[in-house]
Amino acid sequence: MMEWFPIVFGTFKVVALAVGMFFAVKWHYDQGERRKDKLALLRTAGAAAVGFALALAGLGFATFALARKLGMDLTLQ
C-alpha cells in the first residue's frame, strides 16, 4: 500500500522545485530588464543581504531557544 508514496511525493517535489526555479529565473530576468541603473541594483542587493543576515540571526536564536527548551547543554568549555 505504501509503495506509491515515494513515487507520488518525489514527483511532486521535483515538479514544485522545477516550477519554483522557472519563476525565480523569470523574475530575475524581468527585474534585470526593468532596472538598468546601478544604484537600484545596489540597493536591492543590499536589502537582500540584510534580509538574509536577519533571517540567519533569527534562525540561530530560534535554534538555541529550542535547544535550551529541550534541555540540551550549550555551554562551551
Side-chain angles (χ1 to χ4, degrees), residues 38-63:
K38 298 237 183 229
L39 183 60
L41 179 65
L42 289 174
R43 190 177 306 129
T44 303
V50 168
F52 178 74
L54 288 174
L56 187 63
L59 180 63
F61 286 130
T63 301

Side-chain angles (χ1 to χ4, degrees), residues 24-43:
V25 169
K26 182 182 180 316
W27 182 82
H28 281 88
Y29 178 77
D30 290 344
Q31 292 296 318
E33 291 294 317
R34 286 188 204 153
R35 297 182 186 170
K36 293 293 181 182
D37 57 346
K38 298 237 183 229
L39 183 60
L41 179 65
L42 289 174
R43 190 177 306 129

Side-chain angles (χ1 to χ4, degrees), residues 2-77:
M2 293 298 290
E3 297 89 24
W4 59 271
F5 185 81
I7 296 169
V8 171
F9 286 98
T11 304
F12 173 75
K13 183 177 181 178
V14 168
V15 169
L17 288 173
V19 168
M21 287 171 49
F22 170 77
F23 282 114
V25 169
K26 182 182 180 316
W27 182 82
H28 281 88
Y29 178 77
D30 290 344
Q31 292 296 318
E33 291 294 317
R34 286 188 204 153
R35 297 182 186 170
K36 293 293 181 182
D37 57 346
K38 298 237 183 229
L39 183 60
L41 179 65
L42 289 174
R43 190 177 306 129
T44 303
V50 168
F52 178 74
L54 288 174
L56 187 63
L59 180 63
F61 286 130
T63 301
F64 280 108
L66 179 64
R68 283 185 188 239
K69 186 171 183 155
L70 293 175
M72 295 180 183
D73 185 20
L74 298 175
T75 57
L76 296 175
Q77 295 183 13

